[in-house]
Amino acid sequence: MARFIVEVMLKPEILDPQGAAIAAALPRLGFAGLTSVRQGKRFEIEIEGPATAEKIAEIESAAELLLANLVIENFVVRVDE
Amino acid sequence: MARFIVEVMLKPEILDPQGAAIAAALPRLGFAGLTSVRQGKRFEIEIEGPATAEKIAEIESAAELLLANLVIENFVVRVDE
C-alpha cells in the first residue's frame, strides 16, 4: 500500500476570500503579527501496491482532471513515506 | 518572515463524504486501484519575524480556536523551511 498527498492551493495572484477572512479574524482573537493566510485543500489518497513512477503519474493526472482547477489553482503530489 | 503550514484532516473515524465522492468518481474516470481518499484543509500562514517556539505555540492555539474543529478534526502544524 502506498499513500499520496495532493496539496491544492489557489495561485498566488488569485484572491483567497477564505484566507483573507481568517487573516482578519485572528488579530481580533489576539493573534498579532500575521502577514498572510492562504487556504487550500489537502487530499490523502491510498492505493494498492507500491508508489511506482507510473502510479505517481496517474495520481498527477487525477489531480489535474478532478482535484485541482488549473485555471486558478496549483497542485503538488507527494509520496507519503 | 516565517511560514507555517497547518494541515487539518477529519479524524479517521469520521465519515468523509467529499473523499468518498472522489474515491467513487476516480474509477469511473479510469483510475483503478484506489483504496481510500480523504479530503482536508491546508493553511499557509506567514508571520513577521522568525518561527520561535512561542510563535509555533501561538499558531497551534489559533488552529485549535479557529482552523480546526477538534470534535471531528485533527491538525498538524509544521514550519515551512
Side-chain angles (χ1 to χ4, degrees):
Chain A
M1 196 205 76
R3 175 191 282 202
F4 299 93
I5 307 296
V6 182
E7 296 170 347
V8 178
M9 299 298 292
L10 284 168
K11 292 184 179 179
E13 67 270 25
I14 303 290
L15 181 70
D16 175 3
Q18 289 179 302
I22 294 163
L26 285 176
R28 290 200 300 270
L29 295 168
F31 300 97
L34 299 168
T35 55
S36 161
V37 179
R38 305 282 289 174
Q39 178 169 352
K41 291 177 285 184
R42 181 175 187 278
F43 301 90
E44 293 180 357
I45 301 177
E46 290 179 4
I47 63 163
E48 296 159 7
T52 59
E54 189 185 304
K55 283 293 179 186
I56 295 172
E58 260 190 39
I59 297 291
E60 282 175 352
S61 300
E64 282 179 27
L65 193 64
L66 190 65
L67 305 181
N69 176 353
L70 297 187
V71 177
I72 58 168
E73 292 170 328
N74 293 324
F75 72 89
V76 177
V77 174
R78 292 191 291 109
V79 180
D80 193 21
E81 309 294 352
Chain B
M1 196 206 76
R3 175 190 283 204
F4 299 93
I5 307 296
V6 182
E7 296 169 348
V8 179
M9 300 298 292
L10 285 167
K11 293 185 178 178
E13 67 271 25
I14 304 289
L15 182 70
D16 175 2
Q18 289 179 301
I22 294 163
L26 285 175
R28 291 199 299 269
L29 295 168
F31 300 96
L34 299 169
T35 56
S36 161
V37 180
R38 305 281 290 175
Q39 177 169 353
K41 292 178 283 186
R42 181 175 187 278
F43 300 90
E44 292 179 358
I45 301 176
E46 289 178 5
I47 63 164
E48 296 159 6
T52 59
E54 190 185 303
K55 284 293 179 187
I56 294 171
E58 260 190 39
I59 298 291
E60 282 175 353
S61 300
E64 282 179 26
L65 193 64
L66 189 66
L67 304 181
N69 175 353
L70 298 187
V71 178
I72 57 168
E73 292 170 329
N74 292 323
F75 72 89
V76 177
V77 174
R78 292 190 290 110
V79 180
D80 194 20
E81 308 295 351

